[in-house]
Amino acid sequence: MRRARHRVANIAHLVDGHLLFALRVSHPHIVITVDRRGVAPRVDLRDADRRSARVEPSDSGSISIDGDGQDLWGMLRSGHQLWRERGRPEQWDFGMTVTRHAQTVWAGSQDNGQYTG
């Protein structure tokens, strides 16, 4: 199993319910499970190809990522960036427009365009 360490200021943002909702919208193929038990949260990631990664804080102030799906963490980082760029919308700010040909998820207003990662 591969292991990587990444320096981050705080892993606690991963338990923000509004961010988790936004990540699940922008990256619906990634299953995100947060374990809030213990001193710091632990996050398990999994995709349809059965790749997985466990993200948890280490004593050195970095996070440890174990598993064969370490790129899933990179995808979620881009989703976090999108969430910040869009003004950190709350889950109540999301909407969906459905037509006969497509469905589009947006945040804030349809005029803001599709919300994708």
Side-chain angles (χ1 to χ4, degrees):
M1 186 176 301
R2 294 177 30 199
R3 173 173 282 207
R5 295 205 180 278
H6 299 268
R7 194 90 164 119
V8 295
N10 189 345
I11 194 172
H13 68 271
L14 292 172
V15 299
D16 181 288
H18 300 297
L19 172 59
L20 284 173
F21 184 86
L23 291 173
R24 289 173 176 142
V25 169
S26 64
H27 295 81
H29 63 287
I30 301 174
V31 176
I32 307 165
T33 306
V34 179
D35 182 353
R36 292 176 173 89
R37 295 173 296 179
V39 176
R42 183 176 66 215
V43 179
D44 291 312
L45 309 173
R46 186 172 32 89
D47 69 5
D49 296 328
R50 295 190 175 189
R51 294 177 312 137
S52 63
R54 172 165 285 168
V55 182
E56 55 191 334
S58 69
D59 294 335
S60 67
S62 60
I63 58 170
S64 172
I65 304 173
D66 293 321
D68 58 350
Q70 292 185 19
D71 60 320
L72 301 175
W73 172 248
M75 290 180 213
L76 290 188
R77 286 179 53 124
S78 70
H80 185 214
Q81 179 66 29
L82 173 65
W83 181 69
R84 289 190 326 223
E85 289 170 1
R86 294 285 186 103
R88 298 175 183 200
E90 295 183 353
Q91 65 190 58
W92 327 114
D93 296 327
F94 284 85
M96 178 184 287
T97 301
V98 179
T99 67
R100 226 180 352 196
H101 306 290
Q103 61 185 26
T104 304
V105 176
W106 42 266
S109 167
Q110 280 183 275
D111 298 336
N112 292 336
Q114 186 169 356
Y115 192 92
T116 59

